[in-house]
Amino acid sequence: MEELVTMIKDGALNDIQEALQQGRISLEELVRSYLTQIEETKSLNIYVEVFEQEALSKARQLDEKRRSGLPLGLLHGAVISIKDVLCYQSHVVTAGSKILDGFESQFTGTAVQRLIDEDAVIIGRTNCDEFAMGSTNENSCYGPTLNGLDPTRVPGGSSGGAAVAVERDTCLVSIGSDTGGSVRQPASFCGVYGMKPTYGRISRYGLIAYGSSFDQIGIISKNIADISKVLHVISGRDEMDATSLDLPPCSIVDRAEDKRYKIAYIPEVLEHEGLNPVIRSSIIGKIEELSQNGHQCTPIHFDLLPYLVPAYYVLTTAEASSNLSRYDGIRYGHSTTDSSDIEEIYEKTRSDGFGKEVKRRIMMGTFVLSVGYFDAYFTKAQKVRRLINNKLEEIYKSFDYILLPTTTDIAWEKGQIIDDPVKMYLSDIYTVLANLGGYPAISIPVRSDELNMPFGIQLMGDKYQEDRLLALSLTIT
Ligand code: GLN
């Protein structure tokens, strides 16, 4: 019993696999411990559905497989939760929206399938902001998830459920999605690791679309080694997603490298008045520490900083308004019952099914794509995105990493920011950069006694360099 408690609290997959192999624990017992933990944390509203019986029977099956000496998958022993935006055949998926009420996936998305193929147990689907739009998890039709470290605070979003699920030991690893920070920001608010790989590294087949040219599946865990293993399993070319990279899967990183890197940081970011001073001094401290350890840390000028959030919101709302046009009351989930003609079905279903934030974004997106404004907003934002990319390409010619805070502050109090959407959008300033450029980035947790809540240090690596990014993250921790 004690062993199980330590396993779910501090266990990395390696320890779990060792304990299973030596017969000290069974997978069924392990799944039961996670289920107990899920029960005990129910008030935090982490899961929208727990696959209890299914997870237990899968665990028994895998126990049998191990005991009979059959070859085991790489993720044998890994109990994983999936965000409510990932399709899993014959399971409901709703993207936290009433408009997908009761909708059952017709197929399993590639990432989830690859987890299952390597013997992972999927324990449930986690709560999130509606269609992954938000930074607090307060936009879910199931009500907000609360921060496990302080339930008066939000867990961040949109993958808030996923971050709390890991932080409160209800699973080993969570799979989320990151369009503009939705894996890294909640990881930062909850004191765990959150990583978004290079755009196209993980297939988006079976991920409900928000902004297709930004969306990327991301991984949340309490340790780097497990992120690396899961990334190895789910990354790689998939013919069902034409934007997936034709590269071999990322390799498994489990130890720090004894290498010295060139790290850039942006003084304007650190001097920004909106940045919590404790976060500022901690980042400065980290830069000094890295320099003392032989890394070369250099300040760089990034004059496009004020354009990141506007470009991100013009482009993602445009893509979202187009992606969400498919929810018409005919093809998926919720449909109004009291309408006489097709126009009215569309109108009533969408008015009733979408929440406030999603409607706001559909309206913004439709506006920036409309005939009279297309060039002024959409085309302009595309040009800004190009400039940002040029700048990043130039930076990565001379540097290996950019070091940034993940967020401007620690987790907000519930209700503190939700009614001020512009303020909420602006808070995404440090995370959207990686998505605008399609670069890999990770949030590394920092504990602060002074603030009494954690925050994240963010490292953004060059494209396709996830292995190196994870190796440096191991040194920094
Ligand atoms: N907070 C950002 C937004 O609302 C990021 C969301 C995400 O990454 N899915 O768009």
Side-chain angles (χ1 to χ4, degrees):
M1 190 59 207
E2 228 168 79
E3 168 119 43
L4 281 164
V5 173
T6 354
M7 265 319 139
I8 68 165
K9 268 197 113 34
D10 311 308
L13 185 55
N14 266 346
D15 310 317
I16 292 174
Q17 288 178 340
E18 198 183 289
L20 286 167
Q21 287 292 5
Q22 295 174 350
R24 301 200 315 263
I25 58 168
S26 74
L27 192 48
E28 184 182 351
E29 286 168 336
L30 186 68
V31 168
R32 283 192 193 282
S33 308
Y34 284 124
L35 289 170
T36 308
Q37 195 62 15
I38 290 176
E39 195 50 42
E40 278 169 13
T41 53
K42 231 174 170 163
S43 61
L44 299 174
N45 202 18
I46 304 171
Y47 285 84
V48 296
E49 189 185 357
V50 182
F51 309 142
E52 184 169 341
Q53 289 315 317
E54 191 187 325
L56 283 169
S57 102
K58 184 72 196 272
R60 281 191 287 268
Q61 229 174 297
L62 289 166
D63 277 332
E64 206 43 51
K65 185 174 174 184
R66 190 183 61 257
R67 283 171 192 142
S68 50
L70 289 166
L72 302 174
L74 278 173
L75 298 181
H76 183 82
V79 176
I80 297 180
S81 65
I82 55 175
K83 181 177 177 181
D84 187 27
V85 288
L86 290 155
C87 296
Y88 183 13
Q89 193 171 34
S90 309
H91 293 75
V92 170
V93 60
T94 70
S97 181
K98 188 176 155 193
I99 208 152
L100 275 172
D101 188 27
F103 174 74
E104 229 175 65
S105 296
Q106 308 291 301
F107 63 90
T108 300
T110 305
V112 176
Q113 190 58 53
R114 288 181 177 171
L115 294 173
I116 296 168
D117 291 345
E118 289 297 335
D119 285 352
V121 174
I122 311 293
I123 197 156
R125 57 190 169 101
T126 53
N127 200 3
C128 60
D129 284 302
E130 186 177 6
F131 285 102
M133 297 173 191
S135 305
T136 63
N137 226 114
E138 290 166 295
N139 295 330
S140 164
C141 73
Y142 304 99
T145 297
L146 309 179
N147 194 308
L149 297 165
D150 175 355
T152 67
R153 293 177 188 272
V154 301
S158 64
S159 318
V164 187
V166 167
E167 187 272 316
R168 292 308 305 263
D169 309 311
T170 68
C171 59
L172 181 75
V173 169
S174 270
I175 308 295
S177 64
D178 191 309
T179 305
S182 273
V183 155
R184 290 161 287 150
Q185 186 256 25
S188 158
F189 280 5
C190 296
V192 290
Y193 292 93
M195 194 237 187
K196 169 209 111 64
T198 311
Y199 179 77
R201 188 54 107 166
I202 301 172
S203 166
R204 288 180 294 116
Y205 180 63
L207 166 69
I208 293 180
Y210 161 14
S212 312
S213 75
F214 293 77
D215 295 342
Q216 187 50 199
I217 286 175
I219 306 163
I220 297 179
S221 169
K222 278 191 174 173
N223 68 77
I224 305 270
D226 290 349
I227 289 191
S228 177
K229 249 174 242 158
V230 170
L231 180 64
H232 169 73
V233 167
I234 64 180
S235 58
R237 174 75 188 164
D238 173 24
E239 60 178 36
M240 300 306 284
D241 174 3
T243 63
S244 70
L245 295 166
D246 198 4
L247 290 172
C250 303
S251 44
I252 299 180
V253 176
D254 48 15
R255 74 178 75 95
E257 281 181 344
D258 191 25
K259 284 198 182 145
R260 302 291 170 261
Y261 291 111
K262 291 189 193 128
I263 302 169
Y265 65 93
I266 307 168
E268 294 101 304
V269 162
L270 299 176
E271 284 148 18
H272 197 267
E273 56 177 64
L275 183 65
N276 183 311
V278 178
I279 301 185
R280 175 184 303 132
S281 51
S282 160
I283 303 263
I284 293 172
K286 198 42 102 179
I287 293 169
E288 281 161 9
E289 188 189 315
L290 284 163
S291 306
Q292 275 158 18
N293 293 339
H295 300 281
Q296 211 183 88
C297 297
T298 315
I300 56 160
H301 185 53
F302 197 91
D303 52 359
L304 293 163
L305 217 51
Y307 305 106
L308 301 183
V309 170
Y312 170 82
Y313 276 95
V314 168
L315 296 172
T316 53
T317 54
E319 292 188 20
S321 72
S322 160
N323 275 327
L324 270 55
S325 63
R326 70 189 67 163
Y327 304 106
D328 55 5
I330 309 291
R331 289 175 285 185
Y332 305 93
H334 172 72
S335 182
T336 181
T337 44
D338 62 336
S339 32
S340 46
D341 64 62
I342 189 81
E343 286 284 328
E344 208 178 295
I345 295 184
Y346 295 159
E347 210 177 294
K348 283 197 176 159
T349 302
R350 288 169 68 84
S351 305
D352 192 35
F354 287 132
K356 193 168 159 190
E357 181 60 27
V358 170
K359 283 182 190 154
R360 178 161 30 230
R361 296 199 191 194
I362 291 175
M363 287 196 289
M364 282 204 294
T366 310
F367 173 74
V368 299
L369 287 175
S370 60
V371 180
Y373 297 94
F374 185 84
D375 281 336
Y377 293 99
F378 187 74
T379 312
K380 197 53 152 292
Q382 290 281 44
K383 288 181 182 165
V384 173
R385 191 177 195 185
R386 182 71 258 158
L387 292 177
I388 293 166
N389 274 283
N390 291 347
K391 178 77 184 170
L392 288 172
E393 277 165 28
E394 191 192 308
I395 294 173
Y396 283 108
K397 277 188 193 139
S398 322
F399 295 95
D400 303 308
Y401 301 98
I402 302 177
L403 186 122
L404 292 158
T406 309
T407 49
T408 50
D409 213 339
I410 54 166
W412 300 292
E413 295 283 336
K414 274 193 296 176
Q416 187 185 335
I417 199 167
I418 193 72
D419 294 326
D420 190 345
V422 173
K423 195 168 170 199
M424 194 171 84
Y425 300 164
L426 287 170
S427 75
D428 291 331
I429 180 152
Y430 306 136
T431 48
V432 295
L433 180 60
N435 307 74
L436 279 159
Y439 286 76
I442 186 167
S443 177
I444 299 170
V446 178
R447 305 258 155 210
S448 156
D449 294 337
E450 226 171 312
L451 294 172
N452 215 9
M453 284 299 282
F455 58 89
I457 288 187
Q458 188 183 196
L459 274 179
M460 199 173 126
D462 200 357
K463 282 186 182 157
Y464 326 121
Q465 303 291 334
E466 288 85 354
D467 303 353
R468 215 167 64 176
L469 179 64
L470 292 172
L472 177 63
S473 308
L474 275 170
T475 344
I476 282 207
T477 321

